[in-house]
């Protein structure tokens, strides 16, 4: 297990807020529908529920124990999606950030209850030859947390049926990068289908890519 690069601090909390602002600026989220969390020691720091990002300040973020015992700390309730954030950080000890949003193209595929197949070699950034679809459950429920963890057992991203998308990151920066790449992939797949029949790469072709992308993308600090 890699030690978390983060400790709870005003600077970390501001970086989490900055990630939320960046999601909207880059067009991969709308309003306050996205949420971001980070592993900081033995706790999870997460965005609060329903606070506009441009009004959010570091002291507004919530903190929860990673062991699931004890009440959240902070002046506002944590994001309503805190259950799957906590579940992912607990299930993936080498991942230290969770980024969730409702990117339009990812969400469109999730509404159709579709996973993303190996339509492009960049699918390997998510750990396999698909970006899977987590089964539908009520937002903020333990059932949704279970569905997301099951879908991402050997993946670093998934679509969420009739909901949106979620990714994990070795760092906060890598989580945001991975979510943006996922939305690009979803958009390309939808556009390819609109002009023809996408060619899907074989398992052996994706297998070759999996070995080549281990150090691809934003480098961890």
């Amino acid at each position: 297990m890699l030690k978390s690069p983060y400790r709870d601090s005003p600077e970390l909390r501001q970086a989490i807020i900055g990630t939320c602002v960046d999601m909207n600026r880059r067009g991969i989220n709308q309003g306050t529908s996205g949420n971001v969390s980070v592993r900081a020691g033995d706790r999870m720091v997460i965005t609060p529920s329903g606070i506009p990002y441009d009004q959010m300040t570091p002291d507004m973020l919530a903190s929860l124990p990673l062991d699931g015992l004890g009440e959240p700390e902070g002046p506002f309730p944590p994001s309503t999606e805190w259950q799957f954030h906590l579940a992912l950080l607990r299930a993936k000890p080498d991942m230290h950030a969770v980024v969730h949003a409702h990117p339009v193209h990812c969400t469109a595929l999730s509404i159709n209850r579709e996973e993303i197949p190996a339509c492009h070699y960049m699918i390997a950034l998510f750990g396999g030859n698909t970006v899977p679809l987590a089964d539908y459950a009520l937002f903020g429920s333990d059932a949704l947390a279970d569905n997301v963890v099951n879908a991402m057992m050997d993946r670093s991203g998934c679509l969420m049926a009739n909901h949106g998308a979620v990714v994990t990151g070795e760092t906060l920066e890598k989580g945001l990068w991975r979510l943006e790449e996922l939305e690009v992939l979803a958009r390309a797949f939808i556009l390819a289908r609109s002009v023809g029949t996408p060619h899907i790469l074989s398992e052996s072709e994706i297998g070759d890519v999996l070995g080549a992308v281990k150090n691809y993308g934003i480098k961890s600090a």
Side-chain angles (χ1 to χ4, degrees), residues 50-178:
I51 306 292
Y53 304 144
D54 60 358
Q55 298 176 25
M56 203 178 287
T57 57
D59 60 293
M60 293 179 176
L61 273 63
S63 170
L64 294 86
L66 281 169
D67 62 12
L69 304 174
E71 295 299 314
E73 295 179 0
F76 298 98
S79 164
T80 55
E81 307 285 18
W82 68 264
Q83 289 91 337
F84 71 69
H85 283 258
L86 187 66
L88 283 170
L89 289 176
R90 293 182 65 178
K92 295 179 173 292
D94 292 341
M95 294 290 171
H96 305 299
V98 178
V99 183
H100 164 62
H102 301 168
V104 173
H105 297 89
C106 288
T107 302
L109 291 175
S110 82
I111 290 170
N112 285 354
R113 302 282 177 102
E114 296 181 68
E115 66 179 16
I116 304 177
C119 56
H120 191 281
Y121 74 85
M122 291 288 273
I123 200 95
L125 293 179
F126 302 93
N129 64 350
T130 63
V131 173
L133 176 76
D135 292 340
Y136 179 79
L138 179 66
F139 75 93
S141 65
D142 290 336
L144 180 59
D146 290 342
N147 292 348
V148 167
V149 169
N150 288 336
M152 289 177 61
M153 194 68 66
D154 57 354
R155 296 290 194 273
S156 55
C158 77
L159 304 182
M160 304 162 67
N162 298 86
H163 189 150
V166 60
V167 301
T168 53
E170 296 86 346
T171 63
L172 190 54
E173 295 83 3
K174 206 156 187 178
L176 178 60
W177 168 76
R178 196 169 270 133

